[in-house]
């Protein structure tokens, strides 16, 4: 799992930019860009993102989803890509952009391989993500009116989250020195949720790092933001300081411990903030999937809440004027301060997460078999998220089953990309229809949310059997 915006004339934009940093008129006129805390189009018209995430890198055949997402009312789609370090590589960027444009959607492109770097050993660095964007530059240059580059998804986990500031600064500067003029989006650390407030407390440093002053910050809101107070306090800090922000991912409040999605949507609407829900389909979990198996005629509870709610996508989305849409309502622009403001200490009641235990792996099989590697990717008082990577042996397989036994009272509360059942402490996870067949050496990942006692969350031994 695992985003603004007022109508400002070009003359006003140039005046504001001259106060903050020297920006040439040519820079200010290139495509989607920042004005104060808001995103505007090249013509100065306000653009507020209203859309969803699409798991393209894992479902490259689901190209009809772009039309379906548009038909449901969205004006933006955030497209999951892979650099090849972990997923992909996505070499179809030109086609993805074409699909977005054909369906009159602003295209936010993100590299997912960076998810949880520092805590997840398989993750790519932000610098590696930038190298991927450089490799795809030919498909991106000239698309600044249509494309936002989200450099890397949730690029730092909970281990040494403070490294995010330097890594993000370097990534932005490398993008600019390599000639990219696009609006850049950067995700928060702590798996995107910024519960240690590294992004919040270093926002001005990051914005100042962009010589074009054309970066928007992105927060991912899940269980850390389960209360209205947590949501409002976080959003208010950015609004009061004039910092551009988008809510790049969020789910729905299936239980009281989940993100308060209705408050989030209402508060984003009141502040003119863009939001992008996770995700159209592919999680095999109604907490995260908006449709059943990518079928636009079968919206889940989450899909109905996001698209048809009072402050939802259908009620608030405005098509980008580059596609001929009418301008979005104006919001009050907030000038961005030129110096970093002082920040108050993080509240003592903020959620905390422990360092994740080391992953476990099943023995390597020979021939027709599989291995499984279990890792805890994040945890907080009372809850945790784990991923399990399944890899086929030296021969292709048509299905797999992973089993383990919890030793410390943990339970699975919801899962995606696998059918998970429990009997006491024993857990069995079986492939779903789209990820059972694996070529020799190929792999797939499923995940789940669970509960734990807050003191001991050991990693269980796992076994994998193939058919």
């Amino acid at each position: 799992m695992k985003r603004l915006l007022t109508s400002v004339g070009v003359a006003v934009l140039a005046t504001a930019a001259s106060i903050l940093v020297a920006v040439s008129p040519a820079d200010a006129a290139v495509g989607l860009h920042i004005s104060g805390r808001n995103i505007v189009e090249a013509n100065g018209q306000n653009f507020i993102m209203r859309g969803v995430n699409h798991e393209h890198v894992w479902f490259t055949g689901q190209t009809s989803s772009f039309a379906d997402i548009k038909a449901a009312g969205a004006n933006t789609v955030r497209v999951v890509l892979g650099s090849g370090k972990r997923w992909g590589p996505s070499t179809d960027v030109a086609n993805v952009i074409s699909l977005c444009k054909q369906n009159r959607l602003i295209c936010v492109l993100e590299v997912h391989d960076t998810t949880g770097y520092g805590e997840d050993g398989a993750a790519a660095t932000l610098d590696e993500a930038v190298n991927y964007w450089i490799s795809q530059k030919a498909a991106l240059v000239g698309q600044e009116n249509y494309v936002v580059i989200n450099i890397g998804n949730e690029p730092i986990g909970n281990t040494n989250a403070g490294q995010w500031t330097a890594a993000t600064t370097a990534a932005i500067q490398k993008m600019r020195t390599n000639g990219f003029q696009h609006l850049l989006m950067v995700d928060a650390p702590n798996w995107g949720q910024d519960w240690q407030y590294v992004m919040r407390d270093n926002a001005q440093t990051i914005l100042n790092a962009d010589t074009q002053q054309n970066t928007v910050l992105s927060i991912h809101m899940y269980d850390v933001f389960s209360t209205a107070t947590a949501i409002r306090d976080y959003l208010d800090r950015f609004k009061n300081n004039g910092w551009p922000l988008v809510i790049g991912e969020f789910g729905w409040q299936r239980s009281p411990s989940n993100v308060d999605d209705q408050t989030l949507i209402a508060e984003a609407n009141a502040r003119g903030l863009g939001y992008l829900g996770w995700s159209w389909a592919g999680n095999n979990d109604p907490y995260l999937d908006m449709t059943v198996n990518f079928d636009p005629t079968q919206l889940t509870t989450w899909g109905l809440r996001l698209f048809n709610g009072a402050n939802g996508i259908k009620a608030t989305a405005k098509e980008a004027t580059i596609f001929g849409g009418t301008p979005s309502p104006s919001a009050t622009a907030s000038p961005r301060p030129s110096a970093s403001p002082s920040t108050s200490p993080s509240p003592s009641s903020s959620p905390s997460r422990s360092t994740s235990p080391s992953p476990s792996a099943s023995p390597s099989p020979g021939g027709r078999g599989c291995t499984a590697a279990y890792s805890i990717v994040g945890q907080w008082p009372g809850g945790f998220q784990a991923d399990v990577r399944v890899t086929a042996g030296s021969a292709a397989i048509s299905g797999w089953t992973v089993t383990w036994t919890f030793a410390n009272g943990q339970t699975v509360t919801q899962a995606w990309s696998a059918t998970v059942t429990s009997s006491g402490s024993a857990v069995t996870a079986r492939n779903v229809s789209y990820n059972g067949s694996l070529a020799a050496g190929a792999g797939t990942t499923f995940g789940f949310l669970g509960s734990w006692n807050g003191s001991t969350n050991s990693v269980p031994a796992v076994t994998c059997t193939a058919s």
Side-chain angles (χ1 to χ4, degrees):
M1 292 181 302
K2 230 235 244 193
R3 276 163 159 33
L4 309 166
L5 310 188
T6 127
S7 177
V8 181
V10 173
V12 176
L13 174 62
T15 301
S18 67
I19 295 172
L20 301 172
V21 66
V23 179
S24 71
D27 289 337
V30 173
L32 293 157
H33 57 280
I34 296 297
S35 175
R37 68 180 183 90
N38 305 314
I39 293 174
V40 297
E41 296 185 67
N43 60 6
Q45 291 290 348
N46 182 45
F47 181 71
I48 303 173
M49 294 184 186
R50 289 284 181 268
V52 302
N53 287 262
H54 174 45
E55 300 179 17
H56 174 74
V57 71
W58 303 300
F59 302 96
T60 54
Q62 292 289 345
T63 53
S64 62
S65 292
F66 291 85
D68 294 338
I69 289 167
K70 177 63 177 182
N75 64 19
T76 305
V77 59
R78 181 171 179 256
V79 184
V80 179
L81 303 176
S83 70
K85 173 69 180 287
R86 191 172 186 181
W87 296 292
S90 297
T91 57
D92 58 347
V93 171
N95 186 53
V96 168
I97 295 172
S98 178
L99 286 165
C100 288
K101 291 167 71 173
Q102 289 171 25
N103 292 289
R104 304 162 74 91
L105 291 162
I106 293 299
C107 210
V108 178
L109 303 178
E110 61 102 338
V111 165
H112 215 74
D113 304 59
T114 56
T115 307
Y117 177 79
E119 189 170 351
D120 189 328
T125 65
L126 274 173
D127 188 66
E128 289 174 311
V130 174
N131 289 339
Y132 167 77
W133 294 121
I134 293 170
S135 76
Q136 301 300 312
K137 186 176 178 181
L140 293 162
V141 170
Q143 303 300 327
E144 292 86 356
N145 283 314
Y146 309 96
V147 172
V148 178
I149 299 177
N150 189 173
I151 300 177
N153 182 69
E154 301 177 2
I156 306 291
N158 295 324
T159 302
N160 187 19
Q163 67 183 300
W164 175 88
T165 305
T168 302
T169 294
I172 291 170
Q173 293 175 343
K174 187 171 178 178
M175 291 290 288
R176 294 306 184 209
T177 59
N178 279 277
F180 290 92
Q181 293 185 297
H182 302 72
L183 172 59
L184 301 179
M185 183 183 291
V186 294
D187 287 3
N190 297 126
W191 301 88
Q193 295 205 77
D194 202 30
W195 62 265
Q196 291 178 308
Y197 305 120
V198 173
M199 184 174 81
R200 187 199 70 180
D201 294 349
N202 293 278
Q204 194 63 54
T205 297
I206 297 303
L207 298 174
N208 290 344
D210 186 351
T211 56
Q212 295 187 20
Q213 297 288 288
N214 199 22
T215 294
V216 61
L217 304 163
S218 175
I219 182 68
H220 292 183
M221 290 186 163
Y222 291 102
D223 294 6
V224 169
F225 295 92
S226 61
T227 67
T229 298
I231 292 168
R232 291 174 184 140
D233 286 352
Y234 194 89
L235 299 184
D236 282 345
R237 178 64 67 94
F238 284 75
K239 178 181 178 182
N240 293 340
N241 286 289
W243 296 329
L245 182 71
V246 170
I247 303 166
E249 285 186 22
F250 65 107
W252 68 280
Q253 194 162 30
R254 187 179 186 182
S255 71
S257 64
N258 300 143
V259 60
D260 183 355
D261 64 299
Q262 293 304 293
T263 293
L264 184 159
I265 291 170
E267 296 295 333
N269 191 49
R271 291 165 173 78
L273 292 178
Y275 61 70
L276 304 170
W278 183 279
S279 69
W280 184 245
N283 306 282
N284 195 36
D285 179 4
Y287 168 61
L288 299 171
D289 283 342
M290 298 168 194
T291 64
V292 177
N293 295 325
F294 295 92
D295 183 350
T297 68
Q298 296 188 67
L299 291 180
T300 64
T301 300
W302 172 213
L304 291 169
R305 289 166 75 95
L306 183 66
F307 283 100
N308 299 340
N311 292 288
I313 289 174
K314 282 187 177 179
T316 63
K318 298 289 184 181
E319 184 177 80
T321 62
I322 192 70
F323 298 123
T326 57
S328 297
S330 295
T332 303
S334 302
R336 186 188 304 166
S338 58
S340 300
S342 60
T343 55
S344 59
S346 301
S348 59
S349 60
S350 63
S352 61
R353 296 190 182 186
S354 306
T355 302
S356 298
S358 300
S360 69
S362 58
S364 299
R368 190 180 179 85
C370 59
T371 60
Y374 177 119
S375 60
I376 296 173
V377 299
Q379 57 188 24
W380 52 95
F384 70 101
Q385 179 182 336
D387 283 350
V388 181
R389 179 72 175 174
V390 177
T391 304
S394 58
I397 64 175
S398 59
W400 48 262
T401 300
V402 177
T403 60
W404 68 88
T405 300
F406 285 126
N408 308 109
Q410 303 98 321
T411 59
V412 175
T413 57
Q414 51 196 285
W416 52 93
S417 300
T419 300
V420 178
T421 58
S422 299
S423 177
S425 59
V427 182
T428 301
R430 294 181 173 86
N431 65 274
V432 289
S433 60
Y434 55 80
N435 64 2
S437 297
L438 299 174
T444 188
T445 300
F446 68 91
F448 63 90
L449 297 178
S451 63
W452 65 302
N453 60 19
S455 61
T456 303
N457 192 15
S458 60
V459 172
V462 292
T463 60
C464 186
T465 56
S467 58

